[in-house]
Amino acid sequence: MSLNSQLEDAHWFDRLDIIGDVHGCEQTLSRLLTQLGYQKEQGAFRHPERIAVFVGDIIDRGPRIREALQLVRAMVEAGSARMILGNHEIHALCYCTPHPSAAGNYLRPHTPRNTQVIADTLAQFAAYPDEWQDHLRWLRTLPLYLDFGAYRVVHACWDDAVISARRSTQLSAEELNAMADPACPDARAIKRLTSGFEVALPEHCPMFSAEGYRRRSFRAKFWVDNPATLADLEFQPDALPPEVAQLPVDTALRSQLVVYDSHQPPLFVGHYWLSGKPSAVANNVACLDYSAVRFGRLVAYRTDGSGLIKPQNFAWVYVDP
Ligand SMILES: [Mn+2]
């Protein structure tokens, strides 16, 4: 079946291979695609009957970021894949885009921490500045989420309030510039989709990460109906201290909850550094980020038209240290 006839097929979205955070692990990605039946033809991996969907975070951290981005872009341009933006692509766009009014500055300030996040990517593109600028222009054309009707894909959190207010799946120039002020509504909306739903930690209960910096918030589940305590919302990354976990979900927090309810279509995200055997986190939500770049697994979910998330439809390759 040719790609064109595939796209005209009303059920082509029943044959998606949705792939988690790649983070520069290009050789691992090639192995996964080969295992899934994709073959490189005319410069791009293609499958005779299926389309790959990347959940974002192709760049940063890994050993072959340039090659990973080239591989994914070639597939998208050949029509054999789609890709949405992850928080790392958003970070790259903000880090590399000059501030519209503050000369010499960028939408995201070049602090040590912001620089650290993108350092591997910039180092690997150091000899190819024009190519990097071209990739940035291309990234700006990509969607923030995909709604196939029967399936949905977003990097970190499907928030109906944010998505229903949007006019486009893509990031507009105004929205990108708005990212200069992280507190503004547009910036918070983009952050919600690409970085997830975060719950602030109470001031009197400090929590510290493994690296020793103080956490102001934790990444929370966005599919829990009627949570009683913070423990019911806790998703990532560290276990909450017991005195925090047992705190009730108060009225203020209750009014801010994001609830992807169990009647909505199966949703696929990346972002959360999971480990262990890939499986769904709710009956209609699956995270496909199993920490490939930290020697975990690079994971795909293969849709089959059932409208369900089935354990046997997860596929993966291990990453060798
Ligand atoms: Mn990621």
Side-chain angles (χ1 to χ4, degrees):
M1 189 193 292
S2 76
L3 280 171
N4 280 340
S5 61
Q6 181 179 6
L7 289 166
E8 287 160 14
D9 177 346
H11 296 287
W12 65 275
F13 51 74
D14 289 334
R15 294 188 297 270
L16 304 176
D17 294 316
I18 308 168
I19 297 174
D21 302 31
V22 173
H23 284 305
C25 296
E26 179 259 347
Q27 290 180 321
T28 306
L29 175 57
S30 294
R31 273 201 290 134
L32 176 66
L33 289 168
T34 303
Q35 178 179 305
L36 298 179
Y38 290 72
Q39 288 187 322
K40 204 165 185 180
E41 290 164 22
Q42 297 170 296
F45 276 95
R46 304 162 198 256
H47 192 289
E49 295 176 342
R50 304 184 65 87
I51 289 187
V53 178
F54 291 96
V55 304
D57 279 11
I58 304 303
I59 63 168
D60 293 342
R61 295 195 172 117
R64 291 168 66 87
I65 296 164
R66 178 170 173 248
E67 293 83 355
L69 196 51
Q70 288 172 338
L71 187 162
V72 171
R73 182 172 174 181
M75 289 182 74
V76 173
E77 292 181 340
S80 61
R82 305 283 189 91
M83 174 186 162
I84 63 168
L85 297 172
N87 58 310
H88 283 261
E89 282 83 31
I90 295 289
H91 180 74
L93 289 170
C94 293
Y95 189 92
C96 297
T97 302
H99 194 288
S101 52
N105 292 334
Y106 292 84
L107 295 179
R108 197 156 283 180
H110 289 189
T111 61
R113 194 161 169 198
N114 285 342
T115 300
Q116 177 60 35
V117 171
I118 198 173
D120 292 320
T121 297
L122 295 183
Q124 292 176 36
F125 275 102
Y128 313 95
D130 294 344
E131 183 185 333
W132 174 239
Q133 289 301 320
D134 187 59
H135 285 312
L136 288 171
R137 282 190 293 274
W138 176 71
L139 290 173
R140 286 189 58 173
T141 68
L142 299 181
L144 290 156
Y145 58 92
L146 288 167
D147 190 348
F148 297 104
Y151 304 98
R152 290 169 168 175
V153 185
V154 69
H155 186 68
C157 172
W158 190 281
D159 183 335
D160 276 320
V162 168
I163 288 174
S164 61
R166 296 190 59 78
R167 276 168 298 187
S168 165
T169 62
Q170 289 158 299
L171 193 65
S172 70
E174 294 73 26
E175 282 179 311
L176 181 60
N177 282 336
M179 301 292 287
D181 174 9
C184 83
D186 276 348
R188 292 164 62 95
I190 304 303
K191 186 166 185 247
R192 174 58 55 81
L193 301 181
T194 56
S195 295
F197 171 46
E198 299 207 353
V199 172
L201 286 162
E203 272 300 313
H204 60 279
C205 296
M207 213 180 130
F208 296 90
S209 73
E211 294 84 34
Y213 65 86
R214 182 168 178 184
R215 288 196 186 285
R216 304 280 165 191
S217 61
F218 66 93
R219 291 175 171 182
K221 295 174 181 173
F222 57 88
W223 54 86
V224 180
D225 199 11
N226 208 16
T229 63
L230 295 190
D232 295 335
L233 289 172
E234 173 196 347
F235 188 36
Q236 217 237 350
D238 307 316
L240 293 175
E243 68 273 20
V244 177
Q246 71 192 12
L247 290 171
V249 175
D250 61 19
T251 316
L253 177 55
R254 200 165 288 280
S255 72
Q256 296 162 22
L257 291 178
V258 183
V259 184
Y260 192 81
D261 79 56
S262 59
H263 304 295
Q264 291 183 283
L267 171 68
F268 296 90
V269 301
H271 192 59
Y272 296 98
W273 296 110
L274 300 187
S275 57
K277 186 179 179 189
S279 62
V281 294
N283 70 337
N284 61 339
V285 182
C287 170
L288 302 175
D289 179 17
Y290 280 78
S291 312
V293 74
R294 291 185 189 168
F295 309 121
R297 310 175 206 215
L298 184 62
V299 175
Y301 184 86
R302 317 198 80 186
T303 67
D304 64 359
S306 67
L308 300 171
I309 301 178
K310 297 179 183 171
Q312 64 268 33
N313 289 356
F314 289 86
W316 59 82
V317 291
Y318 290 94
V319 184
D320 304 321

